[in-house]
Amino acid sequence: MKNLGISFLKALPSIIAALGMSSLFLNQWAYASDIGAELYEQHCAACHGIRGQGGTGVPLALDDFQREVTDQFLFNTIKHGRPGRVMPSYAMLGEEQISAIVKHIRGFSNVKAPAFDDTPITGDTKNGKSLFMQHCAACHGEQGQGAAGTGVTFSRPRDYPILAPALNNPGFLTSATDQDIKRTLVGGRKGTPMRSFIEAGLKEKEINDIVSYIRSFENNPLKPVHVDEPLVIEYESDADLTTVIDNIKRAAQGKNFRLIRVQNLDYGFVDEKAESGKEVIIYFCNFKLLNQALKVDSRVGLFLPCRITAYEQDGKVKVIAINPRRLSHLFNNNELDRLCNEMYKTYVEILEEATF
Ligand code: HEC
Ligand code: HEC
């Protein structure tokens, strides 16, 4: 007992050292994977699911996906995003952080990642186009623009369909090598609507033709969305506030909008009798348009129903509305851009009519 005690005491410093070392080592290991997990949770989980099971974004945990995508493809996809297709760019994160996210995604599956291979594939682009129309366009769109919507619906908020990504997207084309695209066509992605086209009966040469057709999308880049839009649309009138408010109501109803309510800006902040009545918000809605917009992107709830604010300033009445084109840009969704463009025009027409 005594001896044991002494040798234990003698050994104590090295035991402590060993423990310290290993805990240091453990800490560092935990640090790297924690960072990846943390960043993933913060930036990706809301769309791709906490375990990569998918949601608004495609699943990242499926074995076929993990078997087909290289670390470089993941890295570049995170870096460049998919402009106009909801998937944001994370170029603001450093290389180390993006790599930590890639590592975390690799942890979703035990499947080994393929090696990076950028050997170009040449094929008959014309034949590729006709095969594409026959086998791919129904899901990926005739111009490779991808399926419509974000996969989020209100009736089935937790049961997301897996939507076909855009293949004419600059973010995709920059991130995927020809071999990456071919691997996906050959292997398919079990658990999603994307099947193996070798199993579907296509020859390797035909797959090469399709790959070279997809590569040719690079020659028709998407138009960039406008970033320099003003945040608000603003008009001015010499009429009095009551007249302008009546004009706004009439103009909105004339465009098939339903008036929801008219509310003083200070409503709820001061006693009802103390409301100034000099700053008023008019809420209106067209339910058909609202539903269309919600189908495209449920985040429009942030700025719908429509609202116009009217207030007196320096003897004039000013009317303002938030610019839907500017807001839409934040959501990185081309389809939403189109709808918001229409909303923008409607706002301008109502505001012009109300202040004429
Ligand atoms: C039945 C619908 C459907 C058809 C037909 C289809 N795809 Fe897909 N495709 C999908 C879906 C859904 C995904 C997303 C799969 C996932 O979640 O990983 C996908 C994924 C892909 C990807 C990976 C995209 C990315 O973002 O990395 C490529 C490339 C692709 N498909 C090409 C094709 C080509 C080329 C054809 C025709 C030969 C084709 N697909 C036919 C539905 C389809
Ligand atoms: C706002 C939703 C959203 C967020 C946030 C988001 N994604 Fe995506 N992601 C998508 C959508 C949608 C797509 C499919 C693009 C398309 O339809 O063309 C996608 C595509 C991808 C793809 C390509 C999938 C394939 O089949 O090749 C990868 C990889 C990916 N995302 C990883 C990430 C990672 C990692 C993060 C966090 C750093 C992230 N995404 C954040 C929505 C999102």
Side-chain angles (χ1 to χ4, degrees), residues 58-59 73 82 135-136 139-140 162 165 172 185 189 193-194 197:
V58 298
F73 171 82
R82 302 276 167 94
H135 297 285
C136 324
C139 293
H140 288 281
I162 302 173
F172 169 70
L185 299 194
R189 302 224 175 128
M194 178 71 196
F197 282 89

Side-chain angles (χ1 to χ4, degrees), residues 34-312:
D34 272 4
I35 285 283
E38 218 170 86
L39 289 168
Y40 181 86
E41 266 171 48
Q42 190 183 342
H43 295 294
C44 325
C47 287
H48 290 281
I50 191 86
R51 288 172 309 280
Q53 72 273 27
T56 303
V58 298
L60 305 175
L62 294 175
D63 283 353
D64 277 348
F65 175 78
Q66 296 260 346
R67 211 186 325 275
E68 286 161 14
V69 301
T70 62
D71 285 355
Q72 283 80 357
F73 171 82
L74 289 175
F75 185 98
N76 289 333
T77 300
I78 298 167
K79 183 172 169 193
H80 300 298
R82 302 276 167 94
R85 288 293 294 176
V86 181
M87 166 77 198
S89 150
Y90 291 92
M92 74 287 188
L93 298 179
E95 292 204 354
E96 250 170 79
Q97 289 182 303
I98 296 181
S99 297
I101 297 174
V102 171
K103 211 167 180 178
H104 181 70
I105 293 173
R106 285 297 173 199
F108 291 151
S109 156
N110 296 322
V111 165
K112 203 165 163 280
F116 179 75
D117 181 354
D118 61 354
T119 315
I121 289 173
T122 44
D124 176 349
T125 309
K126 218 170 134 227
N127 189 42
K129 179 175 181 174
S130 85
L131 289 166
F132 185 89
M133 290 304 167
Q134 206 180 324
H135 297 285
C136 324
C139 293
H140 288 281
E142 298 211 338
Q143 277 98 42
Q145 74 272 27
T150 52
V152 185
T153 64
F154 274 76
S155 51
R156 298 192 304 160
R158 300 208 164 270
D159 187 9
Y160 301 99
I162 302 173
L163 298 176
L167 304 178
N168 69 354
N169 189 278
F172 169 70
L173 292 167
T174 306
S175 305
T177 66
D178 290 355
Q179 301 292 337
D180 288 339
I181 300 175
K182 180 169 180 176
R183 226 178 283 116
T184 296
L185 299 194
V186 169
R189 302 224 175 128
K190 220 161 268 124
T192 85
M194 178 71 196
R195 65 201 293 210
S196 154
F197 282 89
I198 288 289
E199 281 171 22
L202 293 191
K203 305 265 174 300
E204 189 179 353
K205 168 176 183 313
E206 292 175 307
I207 292 207
N208 290 345
D209 292 350
I210 298 175
V211 171
S212 81
Y213 176 61
I214 291 175
R215 187 53 70 195
S216 77
F217 288 143
E218 264 168 358
N219 305 332
N220 312 303
L222 288 177
K223 268 190 291 169
V225 271
H226 22 231
V227 278
D228 45 359
E229 283 282 329
L231 187 58
V232 293
I233 313 165
E234 191 170 359
Y235 281 80
E236 218 175 63
S237 170
D238 291 326
D240 64 280
L241 187 61
T242 317
T243 309
V244 173
I245 291 170
D246 284 343
N247 288 350
I248 293 172
K249 289 187 203 168
R250 201 175 323 107
Q253 281 164 335
K255 300 216 165 299
N256 285 323
F257 283 92
R258 206 164 100 191
L259 214 62
I260 299 178
R261 66 176 187 276
V262 179
Q263 180 184 301
N264 288 326
L265 190 62
D266 49 6
Y267 169 81
F269 293 103
V270 296
D271 198 70
E272 207 173 317
K273 283 182 225 93
E275 288 175 20
S276 79
K278 294 205 180 306
E279 293 147 334
V280 175
I281 315 174
I282 301 124
Y283 292 88
F284 50 96
C285 185
N286 173 326
F287 288 96
K288 201 173 137 218
L289 193 80
L290 178 67
N291 280 326
Q292 257 178 8
L294 283 173
K295 245 188 236 157
V296 167
D297 203 315
S298 54
R299 293 171 297 179
V300 295
L302 289 171
F303 57 96
L304 286 179
C306 301
R307 67 203 69 171
I308 290 176
T309 301
Y311 61 99
E312 283 176 9

